[in-house]
Amino acid sequence: MAPYVHRIRVRYGEVDMQRVVFNAHYLAYCDDATESWLQTLNLTVTDHGWDFMLKKATIEWDGVATVHETLAIDVAVERWGTTSFDVGFRGHVDERPVFRATVTYVGVRAGTRETMAPPPQVRSRMDGPAS
């Protein structure tokens, strides 16, 4: 399956004194990409009595992005567990790799912290063809 691709134009306030995106912004970019991906899938997970919470995030940098560049972020589920799943993010400017991230989420019953497996209809949408 081709991943969903989210695009973000790097703003001046997101770069540091080295003129590259400040590292803390990458998790915000991943969060924004996830939200846009779910909107593209027309999926509001809480409508299915399910939600998810971040458990762990890892980021590795391969290059830099700087002000006014468009950062493309590929988004796709890489692993499903019983109640957890990993979403992979691959950021690049044109063909130049910038970062790789994996976020492990844990599914919970909406409005609680009680772990819950994803409903089949949610999982199939998240695994389905990207738009």
Side-chain angles (χ1 to χ4, degrees), residues 15-44:
V15 299
D16 59 21
M17 291 181 67
Q18 296 167 328
R19 298 180 186 235
V20 299
V21 172
F22 180 65
N23 62 68
H25 290 292
Y26 286 99
L27 284 178
Y29 292 166
C30 290
D31 194 54
D32 189 47
T34 300
E35 179 185 12
S36 293
W37 174 47
L38 294 176
Q39 288 175 344
T40 299
L41 295 174
N42 198 28
L43 180 59
T44 303

Side-chain angles (χ1 to χ4, degrees), residues 74-80 85-90 101-103 127:
D74 303 337
V75 183
V77 173
E78 294 182 337
R79 179 197 65 86
W80 286 102
F85 61 102
D86 294 343
V87 176
F89 302 88
R90 302 292 175 261
T102 302
V103 175
D127 274 342

Side-chain angles (χ1 to χ4, degrees), residues 1 13 17 54 56 75 80 83 99 109 128-129:
M1 171 187 80
M17 291 181 67
L54 187 141
K56 178 174 98 172
V75 183
W80 286 102
T83 59
F99 78 98
R109 189 170 310 285

